[in-house]
Structures are given as structure tokens and as C-alpha cells.
Amino acid sequence: MSLLSYSESGANLDIEALLRAAEPLIELAVAEDMGAGDVTSQAIFSAETQVHAHIVAKAPGVVAGIPVAEAVFRRVSPAIHFVARVEDGEEVTAGTILAEVNGPARAVLAAERTALNFLQRMSGVATLTRYFVDAVACTKTVIMDTRKTIPGHRALDKYAVRMGGGVNHRMGLYDMILIKDNHVEAAGGVQPAIERVRAACPYLPIEVEVRNLDELRQALAVTPPVDRILLDNMSVEEMRQAVSITAGRVPLEASGGVTLGRAIEIAETGVDCISIGALTHSAAALDISMEVADAQHQLPQQDLATRIAAVKALMGNRLVILAHHYQRDEVVTCADFVGDSLELARQAARSDAEFIVFCGVHFMAETAAILARPGQHVLMPDPSAGCYLANTATLEAVQTAWRRLDEIFGDAVAEFTPVTYVNSAAALKAFCGQRGGLVCTSSNAERVMRAALEQRPRVFFFPDQHLGRNTALRTGIALEDTLLWNKHQPPDSEATRKAKVILWPGACNVHQRFRPQDVLAVREQFLGIRVLVHPECQREVVELADDVGSTRHIIERVQSASPGTQWAIGTEARLVRRLQHRHPEQRVMLLASAPPFCRMMGQTTLEKLVCLLEALARGEMLNEITVEAETSYWARIALERMLAL
Ligand code: 13P
Ligand code: SF4
């Protein structure tokens, strides 16, 4: 087992373990705050006064520590009823209710500060971690923490890092060997230092810190090789050279002075992980507060659903509500049609409704608008819901790459069929339409790639490198015949000429979070478990999985499996949670230990849907999605080529 998976499973705290670690801290914190009692609340509220309160995010961020907050309320009074409205690992916007708390006013208010202190601190760490994780999501580099944690809070800090999508480094001095310069000096060199620790602790993984390329060469000369080498405070150029010298023989960790601004250039050197002390020593607390709510403050979801049903009854078949499978449960329940991106595109194309309300992300609504007939309108409850992956390719950047292909081949159109994943802007679909290319979704990518290769000798695939690579391999193209485009330094003409499929360096920040170590860990823990993943996951994960397919494929596989089947699923968390509830006769779990939610998909709430629908009922159109006529014309051609296959 590799060092990464070792240290990860070493820190793999489930909720029970988290609460065990939190218990003494809660005792301490409650005691320091309560002292002899909350004198103010005792003076103001009678013992019988009950209160209903909401814990609300005041800023956007990633939530971590909900179970700890709940434990604080329960510790202060078992009469407090705590209902979580979000899960740890979920990205929330300002104003999101994280939990509801009911109970005796004195107890609720006495627990408030302590519960929030834990929740704010842990959510701050998870949020900062997520910024770094997202910054490097188009690379294979993982983000790691360090031992620079609040004394006594290590388990909580490291749990929060995992909820942010990061990976834990060693938990302490006991679970891994890290040889630093002072150890090397005392032992008389790298080789003797390693020999000594190997003799003393033969089963522990070994990491060696190096400060320059000479030391790196010495560490690489050790046999058998160490488990990881830490590049301490090297410049980006030195790290690039270190990656080239190491040539994949030993995983490399970059450390020292890593800022959010530098993370991507460090990751692009090809290092395997970046460890960042700031994740835990400098994370600002997420702004979260508790508000005492009156009954009218927040309409229950049930009322919102009733209001939606009323608008649907009023509008009849003038209105259709489409929702992607990654939408929130309450939104999915209100939809007329739920599907994956291909099914939704088809449904939009065949709908006669005057108003198509699209609960999904922007490119999906844009696709519906392109396929809409004159007089039809596509509206989104939240038009700012974009897609991380779609945003990794702009028309300008793709045009620049295409011009380079023109230079190398004379005429890129004669050589390449451009294929864009549906997760892309309309302008890129139009780019394909104008050049004889087409669109694909995760359901039909293989068929599309074969069709594209029948048409011309090569394919230029964007924006998702993983879907493109996984699909190319399934169609029988060798890995060496694919080429990852580099936006900053386009590949030379010899390498480009050798490529059959050129891949844009984009990725989905949700599916990127599943890693090969997750597959190995889940197989080790659950005998006979089947691993089922989306093709937006990286090749190494897809190769280890039992099955790969689109959202629809994943749903169908679980639906048709016999009771008792065990699944570890590598796709968006809301869909996996729904499958878990729908199939209690099977064991369905997420492939990752921290749930990867698509933030953008979660932006559509029932409140926003009600607002849009009630405006529509009043004759007011909000958030219409339109595409400029020429772009729409060419994009439609690319989409129709796909739909005709
Ligand atoms: P599907 O094509 O499987 O619906 O996927 C869309 C998507 O955005 C996946 O992340
Ligand atoms: Fe985009 Fe990824 Fe979200 Fe799908 S899961 S909509 S690809 S960000």
C-alpha cells in the first residue's frame, strides 16, 4: 500500500471516532464557558420557556463539525432537539440554514457559543482546504495538511481538512517516519538515517525531506526506495526539475510557503501532493450564527412544495420543470422530469411547453434554450449556477489551441473533429458545429468519439480530459496516442503529430475528488463490494473500478442489482444519498469518505424555484436563458449531430 493511502486510512475518522476525540474538548469548552451557569439567560427566561432557533451560515463556505455542534447541545441538555439540515462537506451559501435547534431557551442559549465555536472553526478549515483543492482540481495533485494544528484539536482539524476534500498527512510522530536534515546530520547521511529507522520501525512508511536537487538524488539512490520525498521550500523551477529527475519512482510532496496564488503553478510541476500548514494554523472561522426563529421566519419545505403544485396546476402543460439528478431532493420531488444531461437535452427538445424551467447548471439550460422552438422560453431558478468543468475552457483559449493545430497541420479541420462535452459554453458547441464537430454527453461519449474518428483521423476533445481519455481508451486508442494540451506551453509539433486524441486540460472538481486510494481502501474494508464510477473520474480510478458509466447508467445498475449487493459509487453525493435511501435492500456508499457535493447544482433551492414560478404565474418571466442567434444556430447543429447518433 502506498504511503498516501497509509496515512489517509490512519486518519480516517468516521463520525464515531470524531465524537470520541471531541468529547473531552466539549467537556472543557462547556466548563470554561458555563462556570456556575448562564446568569443572564437564567434571569430572563423561565425554566419552561422553549425556543426554536436556526443555525445559519452568514458567509459561503464548506461545513464541517455538525455532529460536534449537535454533541455540544446534547451535552448541555438532553432536552434539546437538534436537526441537521446539511451534511459535513457540503458547500453552502450565505443564508443557508445548517441546523434547527428546539428546546429549553436557557439550555439552547447556554450551548450556543460553544457549539458555534467548534462549528465555525472546523468549517473555516474545511472552507480554506476546499479553496486549495479546487485550485488544483485540473491536476492530479492532492492537498495535504500538516501537524500545525491547534493543540489538542488535531483529530478535529484533520477531519475538517478531509471534509474540505484534502488528505491527511501523518497524524503524529508515531504513525510515519519523516527524516529531516537534523536527523540526516546526526545519522551521518541519508542512507544511514534510513537504515536506522528501517531497522527500528520496519512497518512504518518513510518520508525524507530534501532541500535541493543534490539531496534529492541522494534520497532517490536509497534502495529499496522510500515511500515519499518532501521537497522543502524549493522554487517552482527546482520542483519541475525534481519531478523530471524522479520520473515517477517515488511520490513527491511540495512544502513550504504555499499560498493559494502559487498552488496551481506548484501542482502543474507534477508533484503528487502539496502540504500546507496554513490550512489549520491560519484558517479564518466561517461566519455562522444562531438566530431565534419565529414560526413564519422560514416557510417549511412542505408549504413551498404546495405553492409549487399550485402554480403547476394553474399553468398546466404550458409549464414543464426539468431537474438533473444532482439537484436537491426537494427540487427533484417537484420536477416533471428528472434525468441526466442527455435525457434532459432530449426532453427539452421534445417538450411542447411554453416555459421550460431548468433546475440544473447553466450549460444545461443553455442547451435547452438552443434546442427550444420559437416561442418557448427556458428559465433557471438560479442562473448563476455554473459548472466548474465548463469554466475550464473558454472560446478564446480553445481558438488559440486550434490556431496552433492549424500551424502544425496546415488545416486543423482536415485533420481533427472537434468534440465538446455537453458541459461547456454554447460558444464552444458552436465552435464544433462550425467545424463539422459535435457534442457528447457521458452517456454517448464512446459512440460520438467513434463517429468523430470515422470522419477525420484525429479528435480534439474538450473540456474534460478525464472523460476524453477514458473514452479514447474504451474505443481502443492507446494512452500514448492521447496528448494532454498545455495551455501555457503548447506541445511541440512532433508530439502533436503523434497524437490521435488531443485532450483539453479541464476536469470536474467534484469527480476529481475520487482517487485510486479510495478504491483500494473500500475494497479492503468491504469484501465483494462493487465500485461504480462516473467517467469524469480520473483514469486510474476508472481502471480500478468494476464499472463506469453516466449518471443514468449508475442509477440503472443499482436499480437492477439484487438485494445485498454492495456498491461504492464515485459520483456526486446527492445522487448517491438518494440511491442509498431508495435501496435499503442494498448497501450503497460513497466512494470517498467526505461527500463530494456539486456546489453549483445545490444552488437551486425550493425557495428560488417558488420565486420563479410564482412570478411566472403573475405573467413575469425571471432569469430567462437565451443564446445569441448565430451561436445558437451552430451550437444546435453540433447538438443535433449528437442527438441523431
Ligand atoms: P451526466 O451526463 O451523467 O448527467 O453528467 C453531467 C454532469 O455534470 C456530471 O458531472
Ligand atoms: Fe459540472 Fe462537475 Fe457539477 Fe457536473 S458535477 S455540473 S461537471 S461541476
Side-chain angles (χ1 to χ4, degrees):
M1 190 186 286
S2 79
L3 178 66
L4 286 184
S5 60
Y6 173 86
S7 52
E8 226 175 304
S9 54
N12 192 4
L13 297 174
D14 57 12
I15 303 293
E16 273 175 39
L18 169 73
L19 290 175
R20 264 198 309 278
E23 203 182 304
L25 300 172
I26 293 174
E27 282 306 315
L28 207 65
V30 168
E32 81 181 350
D33 203 30
M34 292 273 273
D38 176 1
V39 287
T40 320
S41 292
Q42 279 169 9
I44 306 281
F45 299 107
S46 76
E48 287 73 40
T49 311
Q50 296 287 308
V51 75
H52 173 67
H54 292 154
I55 295 184
V56 185
K58 295 290 183 184
V62 179
V63 178
I66 291 280
V68 180
E70 178 175 8
V72 172
F73 282 108
R74 287 206 199 295
R75 162 66 186 78
V76 170
S77 167
I80 297 177
H81 190 57
F82 181 100
V83 182
R85 293 263 300 255
V86 299
E87 211 181 311
D88 276 358
E90 222 171 308
E91 267 177 66
V92 297
T93 48
T96 305
I97 297 179
L98 309 183
E100 292 180 49
V101 187
N102 289 292
R106 285 179 177 179
V108 169
L109 295 175
E112 172 191 357
R113 186 68 267 147
T114 303
L116 290 180
N117 284 350
F118 279 108
L119 191 57
Q120 289 187 259
R121 153 108 196 129
M122 292 176 73
S123 300
V125 170
T127 301
L128 183 59
T129 306
R130 182 68 55 84
Y131 289 154
F132 278 96
V133 169
D134 279 354
V136 303
C138 289
T139 70
K140 281 189 193 153
T141 309
V142 300
I143 297 296
M144 276 191 165
D145 52 25
T146 64
R147 283 162 48 240
K148 293 173 184 165
T149 50
I150 300 248
H153 283 241
R154 179 151 307 161
L156 277 66
D157 277 1
K158 291 210 170 228
Y159 169 90
V161 166
R162 286 176 40 243
M163 291 303 119
V167 167
N168 296 146
H169 207 294
R170 59 179 173 166
M171 284 301 279
L173 295 168
Y174 55 89
D175 61 343
M176 181 181 145
I177 285 157
L178 179 49
I179 300 175
K180 301 198 179 192
D181 52 340
N182 47 4
H183 299 120
V184 171
E185 262 165 49
V190 175
Q191 180 78 39
I194 290 171
E195 278 163 14
R196 274 162 71 170
V197 294
R198 269 204 176 121
C201 321
Y203 302 112
L204 286 184
I206 301 174
E207 178 162 23
V208 182
E209 181 180 287
V210 299
R211 289 162 300 174
N212 54 49
L213 298 178
D214 271 352
E215 288 182 4
L216 171 70
R217 287 191 184 91
Q218 286 176 44
L220 285 171
V222 171
T223 50
V226 294
D227 298 273
R228 190 164 64 207
I229 296 175
L230 188 152
L231 310 177
D232 187 35
N233 268 310
M234 284 191 186
S235 68
V236 168
E237 185 43 40
E238 272 181 306
M239 286 188 223
R240 208 170 281 127
Q241 288 179 37
V243 170
S244 151
I245 294 167
T246 306
R249 284 173 289 165
V250 176
L252 295 178
E253 171 183 337
S255 189
V258 182
T259 59
L260 206 43
R262 283 186 74 219
I264 183 62
E265 54 171 355
I266 295 174
E268 282 175 350
T269 64
V271 292
D272 299 272
C273 44
I274 305 178
S275 54
I276 305 162
L279 298 184
T280 50
H281 71 57
S282 297
L286 187 66
D287 191 1
I288 299 172
S289 68
M290 192 179 85
E291 293 170 359
V292 172
D294 58 57
Q296 300 305 313
H297 180 77
Q298 175 79 20
L299 286 161
Q301 304 285 301
Q302 196 62 42
D303 281 2
L304 295 173
T306 310
R307 285 163 65 183
I308 290 171
V311 178
K312 283 167 81 169
L314 181 78
M315 305 280 296
N317 52 17
R318 291 176 66 206
L319 167 73
V320 66
I321 303 177
L322 307 182
H324 189 271
H325 288 295
Y326 297 173
Q327 290 286 298
R328 295 168 179 275
D329 284 346
E330 59 275 20
V331 172
V332 162
T333 311
C334 292
D336 298 301
F337 187 86
V338 185
D340 68 8
S341 57
L342 179 62
E343 293 167 318
L344 293 175
R346 287 194 193 285
Q347 192 64 27
R350 76 169 77 101
S351 168
D352 290 327
E354 186 182 343
F355 302 106
I356 300 171
V357 172
F358 212 110
C359 303
V361 288
H362 195 267
F363 76 82
M364 294 180 177
E366 227 179 25
T367 302
I370 292 163
L371 295 172
R373 283 185 284 277
Q376 285 187 306
H377 303 278
V378 178
L379 314 171
M380 273 184 90
D382 185 344
S384 73
C387 163
Y388 180 97
L389 169 59
N391 293 343
T392 61
T394 61
L395 176 64
E396 295 69 34
V398 170
Q399 279 171 333
T400 305
W402 192 260
R403 276 197 294 275
R404 174 81 187 122
L405 295 179
D406 270 337
E407 275 165 30
I408 296 172
F409 290 92
D411 181 13
V413 168
E415 203 67 30
F416 288 89
T417 308
V419 175
T420 186
Y421 186 26
V422 69
N423 298 38
S424 57
L428 287 174
K429 295 183 177 81
F431 176 93
C432 290
Q434 282 168 323
R435 290 163 181 80
L438 64 172
V439 177
C440 77
T441 73
S442 58
S443 304
N444 60 21
E446 207 177 314
R447 222 173 327 142
V448 169
M449 193 169 290
R450 286 186 199 282
L453 284 168
E454 272 165 26
Q455 207 176 312
R456 295 178 201 157
R458 305 165 204 259
V459 162
F460 182 30
F461 190 97
F462 41 86
D464 187 10
Q465 57 170 299
H466 301 302
L467 178 68
R469 190 179 293 110
N470 291 326
T471 308
L473 295 177
R474 278 169 86 97
T475 53
I477 291 164
L479 189 59
E480 311 77 75
D481 294 335
T482 66
L483 176 75
L484 185 62
W485 195 257
N486 183 331
K487 285 186 265 182
H488 314 297
Q489 203 180 354
D492 62 32
S493 77
E494 199 191 324
T496 311
R497 280 182 180 282
K498 281 214 303 238
K500 191 124 182 93
V501 175
I502 292 185
L503 305 166
W504 192 255
C508 158
N509 61 341
V510 176
H511 290 90
Q512 178 66 15
R513 300 227 334 247
F514 302 104
R515 286 167 306 104
Q517 286 83 357
D518 294 322
V519 181
L520 302 178
V522 83
R523 286 234 170 90
E524 207 172 278
Q525 225 178 327
F526 302 94
L527 204 67
I529 196 159
R530 298 188 61 74
V531 176
L532 176 56
V533 301
H534 194 279
E536 284 175 21
C537 294
Q538 52 178 285
R539 173 180 63 87
E540 291 81 352
V541 170
V542 169
E543 281 177 353
L544 285 171
D546 297 291
D547 199 356
V548 55
S550 67
T551 307
R552 178 179 172 182
H553 177 84
I554 290 172
I555 295 169
E556 285 175 353
R557 290 311 309 268
V558 177
Q559 263 166 3
S560 60
S562 41
T565 310
Q566 302 185 87
W567 298 105
I569 302 185
T571 195
E572 204 273 342
R574 273 181 215 96
L575 172 64
V576 180
R577 293 287 185 244
R578 201 168 304 128
L579 287 172
Q580 248 166 0
H581 290 129
R582 273 194 204 149
H583 296 282
E585 81 290 357
Q586 299 180 42
R587 179 182 230 162
V588 178
M589 65 188 83
L590 267 165
L591 183 58
S593 46
F597 289 99
C598 175
R599 166 166 49 100
M600 299 301 193
M601 286 283 187
Q603 269 182 223
T604 302
T605 59
L606 224 43
E607 285 84 352
K608 291 177 191 169
L609 183 57
V610 167
C611 182
L612 182 95
L613 292 178
E614 290 186 342
L616 208 51
R618 293 193 301 272
E620 216 182 300
M621 262 200 295
L622 300 182
N623 310 335
E624 183 173 13
I625 306 299
T626 55
V627 180
E628 181 272 319
E630 195 183 347
T631 306
S632 180
Y633 172 82
W634 287 110
R636 188 182 180 115
I637 288 180
L639 280 161
E640 281 173 348
R641 284 189 191 123
M642 167 187 84
L643 294 172
L645 281 179

